[in-house]
Amino acid sequence: MYSSSSLVRNSRKHVSRLLHHLTNSLKKKHQHPYPLVLRFSSAAAKPSSSSSSAAAAAASSTLGRYLGYGVLLLGSGLATYYFYPYPKPRSRAVVGDDEEEHEEHSVANWSGTHEARTKVYIQPESLEELEVVVKLANDRKQRIRPVGSGLSPNGLGLSDEGMVNLALMDRILSVDQDTKRVTVQAGARVEQVVAALRSHGLTLQNFASIKEQQIGGFIQVGAHGTGAKIAPVDDHVVSLKLVTPGKGTLELSRDSDSDLFYLARCGLGALGVVAEVTLQCASAHKLLEKSFVTNMKQVQKNHKKWLQENKHLRYMWIPDTDTVVVVQCNPLTEGQVPKESMSHKYSEDERLSAARTLYREVAAKFFSAPLGHLSDEELFSLSFTELRDKLLAFDPLNKAHVIKVNQAEAEYWKKSEGFRVGWSDEILGFDCGGQQWVSEICFPVGKIQKPDLQDIKYIEQVLKLIKKQNIPAPAPIEQRWTASSKSPLSPASSSSTSSDALYSWVGIIMYLPTIDDDQRAAITKSFFEYRKATQQQLWDSFSAFEHWAKIEVAADTESLSWVQERLRKRFPVESFQRARAELDPNNILANDVVDCLFPRLVSTEA
């Protein structure tokens, strides 16, 4: 088990200096001339499994309490000192005895499609510090939008007005092997949690494509993996600790204010700052992965069986080819040795040969001399996804060229058929490729025992749309499945009391393989035309709604009103808005995305 005690490592000189500046700031009440990038000075103790005597525990508790008071006092002073508005950046200021220059804090999502520049970026190290920050921000009506790892394609956690990040609150607080549950601070990354669980023989129930997400953001956006009987990750939350501007710190679970608990599990960071999370885990296990290539006709014939027989199933459709990559994953029992051969028929060089050949052919046309080409050494060092970016960069919106790249990808996957074995977190993650625009929708597709095949019909319609409108759509169109979630704001939420409701998630994509601003702008325009075509022609008829981390806010009033109306019909928006008014009366946790999707039309009092 892990200790939750903390140590305060401030020297007396440092404490005196902070109190001195706190006193001066309260007297002067002047505007601070530099931005806030505030990291509190306490440091959490490392996890420890050692026990102590009752007397030592009591002494430690007393010392910890008084040290905690000191932290609260310092935190209050620092936050008060720093929460004043700020003029232009890049000016200089004296902090203690040291003079240093500060600039705006810039945070961008991983694709570089959204960015925020803020003068208020706070990283508390403890629950107590977070509580001080939220209270003072609320008192001063200072926005502090919760932001995690900044991975959301739509920049859901970004705000120019201010952000709070829990990267320094990343401890594993407890692991219960009997109940298979783990409690963590919300800033812990998925990969950290998995590593901590390994020694206890546990793991998380499912994984998205990557493991860099902070747990808080992971659950708040309704992230998901794939598995027809496995719900999105918000549904794995057993309890959570929510720091709210209006009601202080709330401990929520199924047994304690269950309605708010379910609403807050996938609350988009708008109901409070998630500080701690308890997750239901699973026994650590290895998976046998089988990858093979087939076509639409075979998928239509076998889809129901594959959904029901495989714990994890994923399709990667390759536009303008009759090719779909099928990835099936199933658990191995402890000690089980798979009968299948783990060796691939083709070497990595043979698998990449078609893509490398295409690169040389295209490069020869674009460059009159080999000076601009990748050297053979550089070319042979690239993975397929890296090579795909290089190929698309030549002419990313040329339909004929994109088809050739897709054909090379189909060839790569045909030569990559085979099996592999690994821990579930290793197998279920995959390379998403380079920077990109992506839109992912979720829609109901019957029940696990009786799929209605709407998921396959949707793909058929998308592929026809790509051909008809001559869309330069790169691969893959990714398709996954989950069970339903009891969280009302989850795109996979279901009004059915049955637990076997089935949802499909489909993502379309366009890569941004260049740093050229004009080319990126052209790709962006083309992507939004692609997305709009699916939106207008398919979403309503399939009851499809976008992933919260991938929903892009419409620029024009008419389109935005259409989105808002659809959200009101699908989700309990009135309940969500009432909870926001009560828990965040001054709307300090929102940003432009939240405000646009869920406008608060009437001001409320705390």
Side-chain angles (χ1 to χ4, degrees), residues 547-593:
H547 189 309
W548 290 117
K550 297 169 185 176
I551 181 171
E552 296 289 344
V553 175
D556 62 286
T557 303
E558 183 179 353
S559 297
L560 182 57
S561 296
W562 179 82
V563 171
Q564 292 169 347
E565 180 62 25
R566 291 189 86 239
L567 294 179
R568 283 192 292 269
K569 290 179 179 178
R570 173 68 175 91
F571 301 105
V573 172
E574 289 187 7
S575 298
F576 181 55
Q577 295 290 56
R578 284 196 299 269
R580 288 181 65 202
E582 181 180 3
L583 301 179
D584 184 17
N586 292 317
N587 205 29
I588 67 167
L589 300 178
N591 63 356
D592 290 343
V593 176

Side-chain angles (χ1 to χ4, degrees), residues 24-308:
N24 286 343
S25 68
L26 291 176
K27 286 180 180 178
K28 295 177 182 178
K29 292 186 178 180
H30 66 291
Q31 288 189 341
H32 233 290
Y34 59 93
L36 167 61
V37 181
L38 178 59
R39 295 177 178 83
F40 285 89
S41 53
S42 64
K46 297 295 183 183
S48 171
S49 58
S50 62
S51 61
S52 58
S53 67
S60 175
S61 176
T62 301
L63 175 61
R65 184 167 64 253
Y66 284 106
L67 288 174
Y69 293 156
V71 170
L72 284 172
L73 176 61
L74 289 174
S76 299
L78 284 167
T80 301
Y81 185 60
Y82 284 114
F83 264 129
Y84 286 93
Y86 309 101
K88 295 179 181 179
R90 299 189 64 86
S91 58
R92 301 177 71 86
V94 177
V95 179
D97 299 327
D98 303 315
E99 193 177 66
E100 56 180 307
E101 185 173 308
H102 296 263
E103 296 184 10
E104 287 181 323
H105 197 82
S106 177
V107 183
N109 67 342
W110 72 280
S111 275
T113 53
H114 294 275
E115 181 181 18
R117 292 182 175 274
T118 184
K119 300 173 184 179
V120 179
Y121 189 82
I122 308 169
Q123 292 185 305
E125 291 188 33
S126 70
L127 175 63
E128 293 80 9
E129 292 170 358
L130 175 60
E131 289 170 332
V132 169
V133 167
V134 172
K135 182 181 185 305
L136 285 166
N138 186 56
D139 290 345
R140 298 179 181 280
K141 297 181 174 58
Q142 166 65 55
R143 279 203 168 177
I144 48 166
R145 174 66 179 160
V147 62
S149 301
L151 297 169
S152 295
N154 65 348
L156 182 61
L158 304 183
S159 173
D160 290 330
E161 297 177 72
M163 291 177 276
V164 58
N165 177 278
L166 302 194
L168 302 181
M169 290 177 60
D170 64 348
R171 297 174 55 218
I172 312 300
L173 299 176
S174 67
V175 177
D176 190 324
Q177 290 178 272
D178 293 333
T179 61
K180 296 183 181 179
R181 291 177 178 177
V182 61
T183 300
V184 303
Q185 290 182 315
R189 293 177 184 265
V190 172
E191 58 190 350
Q192 291 175 257
V193 178
V194 172
L197 289 173
R198 187 89 73 197
S199 61
H200 297 275
L202 299 174
T203 191
L204 298 182
Q205 294 186 51
N206 212 347
F207 299 90
S209 56
I210 56 176
K211 294 181 290 185
E212 286 78 20
Q213 308 97 324
Q214 289 183 15
I215 291 293
F218 196 43
I219 67 168
Q220 284 293 282
V221 301
H224 65 95
T226 189
K229 297 180 181 179
I230 307 173
V233 296
D234 56 274
D235 208 55
H236 306 166
V237 177
V238 176
S239 64
L240 57 84
K241 192 169 287 186
L242 194 70
V243 180
T244 72
K247 295 295 182 179
T249 300
L250 305 176
E251 296 191 29
L252 304 174
S253 69
R254 295 182 180 94
D255 303 320
S256 176
D257 201 343
S258 60
D259 287 345
L260 181 56
F261 165 67
Y262 287 118
L263 191 64
R265 291 195 307 185
C266 181
L268 314 183
L271 298 179
V273 183
V274 177
E276 295 176 10
V277 181
T278 298
L279 294 164
Q280 186 65 54
C281 301
S283 297
H285 56 280
K286 289 188 174 182
L287 292 173
L288 171 64
E289 177 190 87
K290 177 184 178 182
S291 299
F292 61 96
V293 169
T294 187
N295 54 44
M296 174 63 80
K297 185 176 181 179
Q298 288 302 309
V299 170
Q300 291 169 330
K301 179 180 177 181
N302 295 287
H303 180 57
K304 290 183 181 180
K305 180 179 70 173
W306 290 343
L307 271 176
Q308 294 165 354

